[in-house]
Structures are given as structure tokens and as C-alpha cells.
């Protein structure tokens, strides 16, 4: 661990938080619009429409904030876990600049209303080519992170023959290995379809083939966001809370299952798409239920770890350990509250994945409510919690205000408790998502009564985020200078020596992942690629 | 919980793992019952169509509604920015409606809340959905996929008339 790893982490986290700021501001606009406040006329010409704002909200939060934070945090964790510097500092900086260049390239058309296509950019909606090229460069950057992590880990293994890879490093490797496999779908969509088409090299495109490639990556990207949060929950939070990780073998097993099962399930986002046979949809439903299993393992293991912490702090009986957790530590409070809401996000996800039940919720406001529990809380609130120790550590300054941080954390939790259930309910009442609800011609009375709650919840979330940015900005610039420790890794009650050695043997697991993907996606992708005429011209109608 | 003794950890693990397998398996079984037993199906593969020649396809030459059997109606519908054709459908209460639909340009959606009509209209694909309308009233047909700056105006309605 040298100064380079810290500077790399700081650079990535800084970009992530700037993106989050943009995402949060545009988020407020959506929430107010839902509540009937006419915001967009006063924002012209900077923001042209609900959809322009919504596209920025999705891309900045779900794609940019997450990816940059992860590319800062995970290599930092791996380096600390192995107690070794990254294999190549030069590669680390080259990676950062490739990703930053990609971000700028994509941001210009996005901000300029030339890429108002949402963060899913379904063709034949046709964005400016720079949007697709820029996002592709960001993905290429993540592959370079994989390369650097792999080189670092292999060098460590050569120096430590026969030693077990420490859990945090193992999880970091799984996260990026999973993502690298999963991102191949998006890469193919970009390189073969969208980029040549947006440049005018080919005349047309196809909606279904593009969607199928997109969701090949689009579901596992959720795990790419979540697994770094899990790394913190498993390896750091138990110790921050004063306890131990309950089971290292179970933690390793759950990550291996995520490696295998994250990708061959993407068609559960396409249950309502014509052109894919129902049998394949059922198979993806089955495998999605299978990936629920490592999530349940995580729920158990992390909860049991927190219980050891509460008991070490003097709790007795069945439930008082939860009350005894160090709630005055904003980093712990943020992450425990994120876990609480994520439990409901997981249950909701299972409903979404339930094949025909999906017809009740698909593309409704329910999905928006779900996504704000998962990426909007489990991931975002955890990353905020991590930054409450990471930013002071990187800046060499104390956290500007612990009290403000605690208020911020609880405001996020409370705001989400209003915002997300309301959207779930609106979805069940049939309100579509991604729609300028303030101007629809088909307003239903059963929606109208609930819409103000979306505005109130969204405003509380915005207030929380504002306090967060204020605290972090002051921490980085004016807070008292003093060396701040990084969070330490937790010991385990049941340690790595209890995990069978085959858990750490990569080749078999990677082969199994490839086989499952070939079975779940092979026939559909081959059929679509072989029979699809690229005959949809693009449209730019925003 | 005996968290101090590593030797008992695996017993707790096992006590959690077994129900964690049983739960998803039970839910899958319930799902299979509704799909195969009750016949509640999601969209399947109904063949391709050239999005530039939708009007020449036998199904979509004359978009509209037709009674194909007593109480059974067939709706042939196209989606295009930013409208459905037809955009108003009348059926008597108790009818089953079979929707055949496609898109002429972008990705649109065909969504009738609370009636199991939720299918994407992709240019190049023929979509099918069916639903029963028992209660008289007016129901919105909503495009629920973003399709450009006037997406929120893309809607139609189904008017279910009481039987006399």
C-alpha cells in the first residue's frame, strides 16, 4: 500500500461524487414533477424536458457514480488486503484517464440533449455516437482494472505459495471477474450494433437483439454495484461495529455463487418482450431464483456478524444486539440501515423475477421503487457510509461533522421509507415509469392521491444528499488535519481454514459460469444473430 | 447464538441453508402451477415483421377490432410515435380480447393495468397478449416505454360496456 493507491482511490471517488451530485439534483426535479410542481419551464434551456433530466439522473447515478466509486474502492481494498501495492501504478492512472475521457465524451451529448435515451439506451432511439463511444471507453477502463487486480493478485500468490487469499482480496477478484464476463454483452451491443449505426456505417439496427445483449450485462451490472457493498458488509463493517465476521467459508461460497449465477439470468428483464420463447424465460426465472440463494446466505452471515458485535458490546437476549450496535458511528449506521432496506429490495426483486407475476409490475413505478431500494439505498447509502471513513483517510483530515453525518444517514433512511413504498404502490395501481406524469392525458384518481408523497420523499432524500455533499466537501478542504486510519478487516469466528480449498480454485468455477451462460443464452443469441435483419432506422425524437 | 465457538458455526449455517433452498424451490413450484395450470403466460415468440412494411402484413392491413367467436374479440393494433391505432376499443362486459400488436418505429409498450396485458411492442416483432374484461368501465391503454419527448401522450382506452 503506497501513496499511489490512495491517490487513485481519491481521484475515482471524487469523480463518482461529482456525478452523484448531478444525479441527485436531476432526481429532485423528477420527484417534484410527480408531485405536480411545474419545474422544467424555469430550467430551460439547460434542461429541456422531463426525459432529458431523467436520462441524466439515470446515467450519472446508476452508471457513472457506481462505476467510478467501485473502481476507486475495490482496488484500494485489494491492495490493503494483500498488503501489496498495485502491480502497475502507470496502468492504474492510464485506466483512470481512459475512464475520465470516456465520461467526458459521453457527458457532452448527454448534457446537450443529444443522448436523451435513458441509461438503457434502447434502439431505435438514436443518440449521438459520442455517447456510445464514451460509455464503451468507461467499460474498457473497468477491464483494465481487472487486469491490474489480476496482476497484483498473481504477484502476491507467487510471493505467498500455499497461502489462502485473504477474504477481501478474494471478493475483489470475484467482483471484477464476474463483471468482465458480464460486460461482454454490452461490449458486443456497442461495438457491433450501436457505434457503427450511430456513425452511419450501417443503416439500421434491431430492437430485440440489442435488448438481449443489453440485458446480458444489464442484470449482472446490479451485482457489480452490489458486491463492493457486500465486501464492506462482510469484511469491514463487522469490525467497525466491534465484532467478527461469522463465517468466512460461507462468505466465499456466496461470492463464488454470484460469479456463476449473476449472468445467465438477464432475460428475466425481458419477460414481456416478444420474440423470445417462453421456455427460455422460464429457465432464466429458475436461475434467478437460484441466485437468490447466495443473497440469503449473505443476509444470514452479515446479520450473524452484526450479532457478534452487539453481544461483544454487552447485549443479552434475542434482539437487543441490534440496539447495542454503535449507532453513533455514521459509517456503521449508514450501512446497517442500507442492509435493512435492502432486505425489502431483495424480496421485491424476487417478485419481479417471478415470470408471469412480472406482468403486474413490469415498466411501472414499482420498478422505480425497487431500484431505489437496491442501487439507491443498498449501494448508494453503503457507499456514503464507506466514504465517511474513506474520505477522511484519503484527505488526512477528520470528518467535518459526525452529528451532521448521522442526521444525513437517518434522513436518507426516512426519505426512502416514504419514497420507495409510495412508488411500489403507484406501480401496483398501474402507473407507468419513465413518463412525464405531470403532463399525462390519462391521470387516474387512485394515482393522484399518492403523488405528493413522491415529492415529499424525494425532497427529504435531496436534503439528505445536500448535507452529505456539504460534509464531504468540508472534510476534504477545511476540516482539522490529522492522520485518519482506514477501516480494518474483520477477523472471522469461522475462518478461511474451515473453507474447503476447492472454493478458491478459479478454473472450474469460471468454466461452470461459461457453461451456464452458453446454455442460458447460446441458442437465443445464435438464433437472433443469425436471423435478425438490421432494418430499423434510428430516430431522434426528443 | 454460540458465536464464541467456531465448531458450532456449521450447524447454524446448515439450519439456515436448508430453508434457503426450500423457499425458492417452493416459489418456483407455485410459479409453475400458475403458468402451466392456470395458463397465465408471458409474451412468447410470434414471428418477425418488417417494421417498414407493417401495413402490408396480413395482420395489420386494417387495424381494428373484430368478433372472432361469441364473446371473443381480436384487436389488431399498431403503435407509432405517439399513438395507438386503434386508440379506442369497445367490447361488452365478459369478453376475452386477443391483442395482436407491433411497432412501426421505436420500442413502445402495450399496458392495460390489472388485466395481464403487459407486453413490449418492438419494431420487427409481432406481440400477442390476451385478457378478459368482466367489469364495465373505461380502462387506459398505456404506452409504458419511453419513446421520445411526447411519450406521455401515447395512450388509448378500452370501454367495457354493460350487457343489456
Amino acid at each position: 500500500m503506497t501513496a499511489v493507491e490512495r491517490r487513485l482511490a481519491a481521484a475515482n471517488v471524487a469523480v463518482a461524487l461529482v456525478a452523484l451530485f448531478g444525479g441527485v439534483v436531476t432526481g429532485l426535479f423528477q420527484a417534484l414533477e410527480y408531485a405536480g410542481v411545474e419545474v422544467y419551464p424555469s430550467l430551460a434551456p439547460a434542461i429541456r424536458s422531463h426525459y432529458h433530466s431523467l436520462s441524466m439522473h439515470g446515467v450519472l447515478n446508476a452508471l457513472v457514480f457506481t462505476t467510478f466509486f467501485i473502481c476507486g474502492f475495490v482496488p484500494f481494498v485489494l491492495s490493503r488486503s494483500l498488503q501489496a501495492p498495485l502491480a502497475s501504478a502507470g496502468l492504474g492512472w492510464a485506466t483512470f484517464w481512459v475512464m475520465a475521457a470516456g465520461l467526458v465524451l459521453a457527458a457532452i451529448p448527454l448534457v446537450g440533449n443529444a443522448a436523451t435515451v435513458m441509461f438503457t439506451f434502447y434502439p431505435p432511439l438514436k443518440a449521438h455516437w459520442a455517447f456510445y463511444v464514451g460509455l464503451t471507453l468507461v467499460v474498457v477502463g473497468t477491464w483494465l482494472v481487472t487486469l491490474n487486480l489480476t496482476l497484483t493478485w498473481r504477484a502476491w500468490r507467487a510471493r505467498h505459495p500455499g497461502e489462502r487469499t485473504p477474504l477481501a482480496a478474494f471478493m475483489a477478484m470475484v467482483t471484477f471477474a464476474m463483471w468482465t464476463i458480464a460486460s461482454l454483452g454490452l461490449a458486443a451491443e456497442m461495438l457491433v450494433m450501436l457505434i457503427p449505426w450511430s456513425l452511419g456505417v450501417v443503416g439500421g439496427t434491431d430492437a430485440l437483439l440489442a435488448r438481449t445483449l443489453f440485458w446480458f450485462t444489464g442484470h449482472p451490472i446490479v451485482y457489480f454495484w452490489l458486491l463492493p457493498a457486500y465486501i464492506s458488509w462482510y469484511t469491514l463493517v463487522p469490525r467497525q461495529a466491534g465484532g467478527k465476521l461469522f463465517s468466512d467459508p460461507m462468505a466465499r461460497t456466496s461470492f463464488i455463487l454470484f460469479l456463476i449465477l449473476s449472468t445467465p439470468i438477464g432475460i428475466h428483464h425481458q419477460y414481456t418482450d416478444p420474440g423470445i420463447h417462453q421456455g427460455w424465460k422460464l429457465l432464466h426465472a429458475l436461475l434467478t431464483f437460484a441466485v437468490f440463494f447466495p443473497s440469503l446466505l449473505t443476509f444470514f452471515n452479515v446479520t450473524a456478524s452484526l450479532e457478534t458485535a452487539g453481544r461483544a458490546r454487552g447485549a443479552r437476549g434475542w434482539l437487543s444486539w441490534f440496539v447495542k450496535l454503535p449507532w453513533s458511528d455514521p459509517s456503521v449506521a449508514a450501512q446497517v440501515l442500507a442492509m435493512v432496506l435492502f432486505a425489502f429490495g431483495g424480496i421485491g426483486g424476487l417478485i419481479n423475477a417471478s415470470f408471469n407475476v412480472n406482468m403486474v409490475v413490469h415498466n411501472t413505478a414499482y420498478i422505480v421503487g425497487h431500484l431505489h431500494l437496491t442501487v439507491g439505498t443498498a449501494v448508494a447509502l453503503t457507499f456514503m457510509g464507506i466514504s465517511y471513513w474513506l474520505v477522511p483517510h484519503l484527505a488526512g483530515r477528520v470528518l467535518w461533522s459526525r452529528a451532521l453525518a448521522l442526521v444525513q444517514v437517518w434522513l436518507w433512511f426516512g426519505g426512502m421509507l416514504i419514497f420507495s413504498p409510495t412508488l411500489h404502490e403507484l406501480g401496483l395501481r398501474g402507473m407507468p415509469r419513465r413518463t412525464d406524469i405531470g403532463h399525462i392525458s390519462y391521470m387516474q384518481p387512485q394515482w393522484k392521491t399518492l403523488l405528493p408523497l413522491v415529492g415529499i420523499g424525494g425532497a427529504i432524500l435531496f436534503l439528505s444528499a445536500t448535507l452529505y455533499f456539504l460534509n464531504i466537501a468540508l472534510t476534504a478542504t477545511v476540516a482539522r488535519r490529522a492522520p485518519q486510519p482506514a477501516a480494518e478487516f474483520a477477523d472471522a469466528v469461522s475462518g478461511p481454514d474451515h473453507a474447503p480449498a476447492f472454493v478458491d480454485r478459479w478454473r472450474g468455477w469460471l468454466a461452470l459460469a461459461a457453461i451456464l451462460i452458453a446454455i442460458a443464452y447460446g441458442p437465443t443469441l445464435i438464433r437472433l444473430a443469425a436471423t435478425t435483419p438490421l432494418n430499423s432506422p434510428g430516430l431522434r425524437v426528443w | 447464538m454460540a458465536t464464541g465457538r467456531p465448531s458450532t458455526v456449521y450447524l447454524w449455517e446448515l439450519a439456515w441453508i436448508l430453508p434457503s433452498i426450500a423457499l425458492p424451490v417452493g416459489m418456483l413450484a407455485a410459479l409453475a402451477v400458475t403458468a402451466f395450470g392456470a395458463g397465465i403466460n408471458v409474451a412468447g415468440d410470434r414471428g418477425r415483421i418488417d417494421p417498414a412494411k407493417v401495413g402490408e402484413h396480413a395482420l395489420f392491413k386494417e387495424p381494428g377490432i373484430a368478433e372472432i367467436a361469441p364473446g371473443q374479440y381480436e384487436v389488431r393494433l399498431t403503435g407509432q410515435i405517439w399513438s395507438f391505432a386503434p386508440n379506442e376499443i369497445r367490447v361488452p362486459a365478459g369478453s376475452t380480447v386477443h391483442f395482436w400488436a407491433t411497432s412501426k418505429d421505436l420500442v413502445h409498450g402495450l399496458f392495460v393495468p390489472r388485466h395481464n396485458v403487459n407486453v413490449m411492442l418492438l419494431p420487427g416483432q409481432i406481440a400477442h397478449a390476451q385478457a378478459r374484461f368482466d367489469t364495465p368501465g373505461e380502462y387506459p391503454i398505456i404506452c409504458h416505454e419511453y419513446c421520445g419527448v411526447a411519450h406521455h401522450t401515447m395512450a388509448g382506452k378500452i370501454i367495457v360496456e354493460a350487457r343489456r
Side-chain angles (χ1 to χ4, degrees):
Chain A
M1 190 83 194
T2 64
V4 173
E5 284 75 33
R6 279 191 282 274
R7 278 203 289 273
L8 264 175
N12 277 289
V13 170
V15 174
L17 295 190
V18 170
L20 181 65
F21 183 75
V24 160
V25 171
T26 44
L28 177 69
F29 300 152
Q30 321 294 327
L32 292 177
E33 175 78 22
Y34 272 43
V37 183
E38 187 78 66
V39 286
Y40 297 112
S42 54
L43 296 169
I47 293 179
R48 311 282 179 81
S49 69
H50 174 85
Y51 304 107
H52 184 203
S53 174
L54 183 56
S55 293
M56 289 195 273
H57 177 68
V59 172
L60 290 175
N61 281 338
L63 302 182
V64 182
F65 160 62
T66 51
T67 304
F68 274 83
F69 194 94
I70 290 160
C71 290
F73 175 63
V74 174
F76 178 86
V77 163
L78 178 115
S79 168
R80 273 180 65 81
S81 171
L82 298 178
Q83 298 177 313
L86 285 179
S88 168
L91 178 58
W93 283 112
T95 303
F96 174 75
W97 288 113
V98 166
M99 287 174 60
L103 171 59
V104 170
L105 204 54
I108 292 169
L110 179 69
V111 172
N113 197 29
T116 298
V117 292
M118 308 292 147
F119 77 92
T120 46
F121 43 86
Y122 296 138
L125 283 170
K126 192 178 192 175
H128 192 280
W129 61 265
F131 179 70
Y132 304 121
V133 172
L135 289 185
T136 305
L137 282 176
V138 174
V139 173
V140 169
T142 62
W143 294 344
L144 296 177
V145 173
T146 308
L147 176 64
N148 214 346
L149 295 185
T150 308
L151 293 173
T152 309
W153 176 60
R154 288 177 70 102
W156 177 88
R157 265 201 326 181
R159 288 195 308 274
H160 299 83
E163 253 183 65
R164 205 72 190 248
T165 305
L167 182 62
F170 177 80
M171 291 178 155
M173 291 304 303
V174 170
T175 303
F176 271 83
M178 183 281 295
W179 166 249
T180 302
I181 297 168
S183 59
L184 295 176
L186 183 63
E189 184 197 5
M190 289 292 197
L191 296 174
V192 180
M193 298 183 77
L194 300 185
I195 292 175
W197 169 64
S198 63
L199 286 168
V201 178
V202 297
T205 192
D206 181 73
L208 181 63
L209 178 57
R211 287 163 72 86
T212 308
L213 290 171
F214 179 85
W215 285 114
F216 183 102
T217 303
H219 189 75
I221 200 174
V222 175
Y223 295 106
F224 180 54
W225 303 332
L226 265 177
L227 295 188
Y230 284 3
I231 293 176
S232 177
W233 295 358
Y234 272 120
T235 69
L236 298 168
V237 171
R239 172 121 174 211
Q240 286 177 280
K244 289 181 173 179
L245 169 64
F246 186 69
S247 169
D248 176 302
M250 206 179 194
R252 275 175 212 259
T253 307
S254 74
F255 263 59
I256 285 295
L257 288 170
F258 282 121
L259 173 71
I260 297 165
L261 293 168
S262 290
T263 305
I265 60 179
I267 288 177
H268 76 232
H269 288 259
Q270 295 180 279
Y271 288 146
T272 62
D273 278 15
I276 297 176
H277 197 274
Q278 285 201 46
W280 293 114
K281 294 178 176 177
L282 260 178
L283 176 68
H284 281 243
L286 176 96
L287 290 169
T288 309
F289 277 61
V291 85
F292 188 57
F293 177 64
S295 302
L296 283 172
L297 296 189
T298 299
F299 176 77
F300 168 78
N301 206 352
V302 168
T303 307
S305 305
L306 288 177
E307 185 183 340
T308 69
R311 296 206 182 284
R313 297 168 62 85
R316 298 275 175 275
W318 284 73
L319 290 171
S320 67
W321 56 267
F322 191 72
V323 183
K324 286 273 189 186
L325 293 173
W327 289 100
S328 61
D329 179 342
S331 178
V332 173
Q335 297 186 66
V336 175
L337 292 177
M339 294 170 198
V340 170
L341 286 186
F342 186 53
F344 296 96
I347 294 166
L350 208 55
I351 293 169
N352 305 343
S354 294
F355 194 61
N356 45 22
V357 182
N358 179 262
M359 286 195 290
V360 179
V361 298
H362 178 78
N363 264 8
T364 68
Y366 183 101
I367 302 301
V368 185
H370 170 70
L371 203 64
H372 282 82
L373 287 182
T374 51
V375 65
T377 302
V379 175
L381 190 53
T382 294
F383 287 2
M384 287 173 177
I386 291 168
S387 68
Y388 279 139
W389 64 259
L390 183 60
V391 171
H393 171 70
L394 296 175
R397 294 169 185 271
V398 299
L399 182 62
W400 186 73
S401 169
R402 214 175 147 102
L404 193 66
L406 280 171
V407 170
Q408 181 270 317
V409 164
W410 282 99
L411 277 177
W412 194 272
F413 183 73
M416 200 55 83
L417 275 182
I418 299 172
F419 184 79
S420 176
T422 307
L423 283 165
H424 277 89
E425 177 61 28
L426 280 165
L428 293 177
R429 295 182 186 187
M431 193 177 90
R433 71 163 175 165
R434 292 182 162 178
T435 299
D436 187 353
I437 292 298
H439 298 99
I440 50 174
S441 52
Y442 46 86
M443 178 62 81
Q444 308 288 308
Q446 67 269 29
W447 303 345
K448 216 168 180 173
T449 48
L450 284 178
L451 283 169
L453 287 175
V454 178
I456 294 168
I460 296 172
L461 291 167
F462 178 75
L463 175 63
S464 168
T466 307
L467 299 181
Y468 172 72
F469 289 115
L470 181 72
N471 208 352
I472 290 293
L474 291 175
T475 300
T477 52
V478 303
R480 184 168 52 81
R481 278 183 194 278
Q484 298 292 305
E488 298 287 341
F489 297 112
D491 293 327
V493 177
S494 169
D497 42 325
H498 291 143
F502 67 80
V503 176
D504 285 24
R505 285 195 198 115
W506 282 79
R507 266 189 211 142
W509 300 128
L510 290 172
L512 188 57
I515 290 168
L516 275 180
I517 291 170
I519 293 171
Y521 265 112
T524 299
L525 275 180
I526 290 169
R527 176 178 66 85
L528 288 178
T531 61
T532 298
L534 298 179
N535 58 1
S536 276
L539 279 178
R540 191 173 290 183
V541 282
W542 59 80
Chain B
M1 192 181 279
T3 46
R5 279 175 292 147
S7 54
T8 59
V9 163
Y10 80 97
L11 289 174
W12 292 105
E13 288 172 351
L14 205 61
W16 180 263
I17 285 173
L18 295 178
S20 295
I21 294 172
L23 182 73
V25 169
M27 289 179 71
L28 268 175
L31 237 170
V33 169
T34 63
F36 299 110
I40 305 170
N41 290 312
V42 300
D45 188 1
R46 304 285 182 159
R48 290 195 62 89
I49 181 171
D50 184 341
K53 295 175 182 164
V54 169
E56 296 167 28
H57 193 280
L59 265 175
F60 301 106
K61 262 185 194 143
E62 291 170 30
I65 180 165
E67 187 170 10
I68 51 173
Q72 303 281 320
Y73 291 82
E74 185 172 83
V75 170
R76 297 164 172 206
L77 178 146
T78 62
Q80 51 274 312
I81 48 170
W82 289 284
S83 67
F84 290 111
N87 70 353
E88 189 178 307
I89 295 160
R90 283 173 186 272
V91 291
S95 306
T96 297
V97 181
H98 305 260
F99 293 90
W100 291 94
T102 192
S103 163
K104 290 182 171 177
D105 40 47
L106 296 171
V107 177
H108 299 287
L110 175 64
F111 178 41
V112 183
R114 312 191 86 111
H115 284 87
N116 285 349
V117 178
N118 189 334
V119 63
M120 306 315 297
L121 305 186
L122 307 182
Q125 300 290 339
I126 296 169
H128 175 265
Q130 77 177 60
R132 212 181 132 91
F133 292 88
D134 284 326
T135 314
E138 201 179 292
Y139 303 95
I141 303 173
I142 299 168
C143 171
H144 66 345
E145 184 58 81
Y146 166 66
C147 56
V149 74
H151 157 59
H152 49 276
T153 63
M154 184 169 167
K157 57 188 160 190
I158 298 176
I159 298 164
V160 180
E161 297 168 325
R163 284 191 182 272
R164 274 161 291 167

